[in-house]
Amino acid sequence: MDRLTLERRQVWIYLSTIIGGLLVGSTWPDITHLFEKLLWPALVLLLYTTFVQVPLLHLREAFRDRRFVAAILAGNFIALPLLSWTLLQWLPVDPVVRLGVLLVLLVPCTDWFITFSQLGAGNVPRAIAVTPLNLLLELLLLPVCLWLMLDTKLAAPLSFTEIWPALLVVIVPMIAAAVSERWFEAQPTREKLRDRLAWWPVPLLALVVFLIAGAQISAVRNALSLFPVVVPLFVAFLVLAALIAKGLARLMALPTDQGRTLAFSLGTRNSFVVLPFAFSLPDGWEVAAVVIVLQSLVELFGMVFYLWWIPRKLFR
């Protein structure tokens, strides 16, 4: 099996591991504490193997095509935050659910959107070049967007005293990835190691969702009643994000392959980057993490639809 085949089948891998985690957590409830302890190092490894594929030290290359970059920035950091805030009005006034939805919808993806761009006949070099810009901006702008969209009471659980462990879980792998990138580029033969690390995000994310499902079994049960409300919202986001990409591509006069890449960028979200922040929330806010995992599953099934819709219909 090659890596592209593995990534093409990842939705079924994650679904299987979630079901397995729910079964293990239901059968052996005492194991949830062990899963909670294992979750943090698993997240660190996942983020490192993901960030190490992002050209963090080549941010300047993202600006070679200014029209494409302008479309990416306008879509991910202006249009989609406005769309997320609009969709939020259809949710029940539940601070946990609203926070989980915003956490995941406000951050553009920096990893598997490249894979889907490749599978959907997009422009892969442009996708790779723009990833460090998306990553840096989402981390800088996420607190601003949350402050604007949530009232003070809802934003209180995200104070620095609460989330500093989550910040370390994200920042430390990012720094390690940047150091590794410099080390890889020092000798061409070391690139083979980075290619091997590129195999790890899918199995590590499968491990993470397995641990989440097993550790948060009670939160999953509490969130079941929310699925009929949240799932349609995530589906609507996917459809509207693609249509926004179509409009921006026309406005910026982007080539077809770049328009497809733009659609995959707007349609995919960085769910596991915000998971550490969801897990740092106080007791009683566990449903936020369940909402984030649910969005990633909806998104993956949505990407199967995108792979047909984007190249064959929307950007022919």
Side-chain angles (χ1 to χ4, degrees), residues 263-281:
F264 284 109
S265 177
L266 301 193
T268 51
R269 304 288 90 190
N270 226 350
S271 55
F272 54 84
V273 169
V274 294
L275 273 175
F277 299 102
F279 286 119
S280 67
L281 296 173

Side-chain angles (χ1 to χ4, degrees), residues 36-67:
E36 289 175 353
K37 292 179 180 179
L38 293 175
L39 184 57
W40 290 100
L43 277 170
V44 170
L45 288 174
L46 170 62
L47 291 174
Y48 170 73
T49 57
T50 300
F51 291 156
V52 84
Q53 309 305 318
V54 177
L56 295 169
L57 302 181
H58 298 273
L59 188 62
R60 186 178 300 176
E61 294 181 8
F63 295 95
R64 288 184 176 179
D65 191 330
R66 294 182 180 179
R67 286 186 302 167

Side-chain angles (χ1 to χ4, degrees), residues 110-245:
T110 56
D111 60 322
W112 65 35
F113 107 87
I114 299 174
T115 300
F116 289 117
S117 295
Q118 181 177 3
L119 293 171
N123 189 312
V124 178
R126 287 285 183 271
I128 294 173
V130 82
T131 49
L133 185 61
N134 274 341
L135 180 61
L136 293 176
L137 284 178
E138 70 187 36
L139 294 176
L140 290 173
L141 295 179
L142 179 61
V144 177
C145 291
L146 291 176
W147 178 74
L148 290 173
M149 296 183 188
L150 297 174
D151 60 38
T152 307
K153 293 181 181 179
L154 297 187
L158 287 173
S159 63
F160 180 77
T161 55
E162 295 285 349
I163 67 168
W164 70 265
L167 285 172
L168 290 178
V169 168
V170 175
I171 292 174
V172 170
M174 187 184 298
I175 294 174
V179 173
S180 298
E181 183 179 352
R182 180 67 70 188
W183 184 79
F184 291 140
E185 293 179 351
Q187 293 185 16
T189 56
R190 295 172 180 171
E191 286 294 329
K192 294 181 180 179
L193 177 57
R194 176 147 61 178
D195 291 339
R196 292 174 185 172
L197 288 173
W199 283 79
W200 283 97
V202 172
L204 283 172
L205 183 53
L207 173 62
V208 166
V209 296
F210 173 80
L211 294 173
I212 292 171
Q216 304 293 335
I217 183 67
S218 59
V220 172
R221 289 170 180 162
N222 294 335
L224 287 176
S225 61
L226 297 170
F227 287 10
V229 178
V230 177
V231 170
L233 182 144
F234 290 146
V235 172
F237 179 88
L238 284 168
V239 174
L240 294 172
L243 295 177
I244 290 172

